[in-house]
Amino acid sequence: QVRLVESGGGLVQPGDSLRLSCATSGFTFNDFAIGWVRQAPGKEREGISCISGYDESTYYSDSVKARFTISRDIVNSTVYLEMMDLRPEDTGLYFCKARPAYAPKGCDRWVAASQAYWGRGTQVTVSS
């Protein structure tokens, strides 16, 4: 059974940092592209970052590029999202999303795909 469990969210002030974790189980970690989708209040879900197990390639949306860093721990089958210089517009529910990736450009397909495995999300609130 595939499981994605997010953790690490919280209430922070603008300029602060947070690290989100997505602990996975039930599938071969290296065969998947895994990343983070954010849903801000009143907005649609936005894929913000991904890392592919196929070739370690990464994706960042323009809204988080240069502030967020995605990484993965193969031993613990966990994906992390280091978030720096957080802004109020980063507020939202952060979901972990996983999709098989057996070829290059796995994160390109991850961004576009609606069919995937999903976690339940962790809330990030950035407010002064």
Side-chain angles (χ1 to χ4, degrees), residues 4-7 36-37 93-96 118-123:
L4 306 173
V5 181
E6 302 95 335
S7 62
W36 296 89
V37 174
L93 191 57
Y94 285 67
F95 296 93
C96 186
W118 293 84
R120 294 190 174 185
T122 184
Q123 178 68 34

Side-chain angles (χ1 to χ4, degrees), residues 45-66:
R45 292 184 179 185
E46 174 194 13
I48 59 171
S49 187
C50 167
I51 185 165
S52 174
Y54 178 82
D55 56 8
E56 298 273 350
S57 59
T58 58
Y59 162 82
Y60 297 96
S61 67
D62 288 342
S63 62
V64 306
K65 200 172 291 183

Side-chain angles (χ1 to χ4, degrees), residues 29 43 127:
F29 190 66
K43 296 187 177 181
S127 176

Side-chain angles (χ1 to χ4, degrees), residues 15-16 31 44 48 52 64 70-71 76 84 93-94 96 112 114:
D16 284 352
D31 287 345
E44 293 188 357
I48 59 171
S52 174
V64 306
I70 194 167
S71 62
N76 293 304
M84 299 175 58
L93 191 57
Y94 285 67
C96 186
S114 57

Side-chain angles (χ1 to χ4, degrees), residues 111-126:
V111 170
S114 57
Q115 278 200 316
Y117 296 105
W118 293 84
R120 294 190 174 185
T122 184
Q123 178 68 34
V124 173
T125 303
V126 185

Side-chain angles (χ1 to χ4, degrees), residues 14-122:
D16 284 352
S17 301
L18 272 178
R19 185 176 82 158
L20 304 184
S21 300
C22 173
T24 76
S25 60
F27 60 89
T28 302
F29 190 66
N30 284 346
D31 287 345
F32 276 70
I34 304 171
W36 296 89
V37 174
R38 175 172 71 193
Q39 185 159 25
K43 296 187 177 181
E44 293 188 357
R45 292 184 179 185
E46 174 194 13
I48 59 171
S49 187
C50 167
I51 185 165
S52 174
Y54 178 82
D55 56 8
E56 298 273 350
S57 59
T58 58
Y59 162 82
Y60 297 96
S61 67
D62 288 342
S63 62
V64 306
K65 200 172 291 183
R67 297 187 298 124
F68 292 8
T69 303
I70 194 167
S71 62
R72 64 194 205 115
D73 179 345
I74 297 172
V75 172
N76 293 304
S77 299
T78 300
V79 171
Y80 301 101
L81 186 68
E82 296 276 359
M83 305 188 294
M84 299 175 58
D85 188 25
L86 284 162
R87 305 166 181 171
E89 54 264 39
D90 293 318
T91 294
L93 191 57
Y94 285 67
F95 296 93
C96 186
K97 173 185 171 184
R99 189 180 184 277
Y102 301 117
K105 299 188 178 181
C107 282
D108 290 356
R109 285 184 281 273
W110 175 93
V111 170
S114 57
Q115 278 200 316
Y117 296 105
W118 293 84
R120 294 190 174 185
T122 184

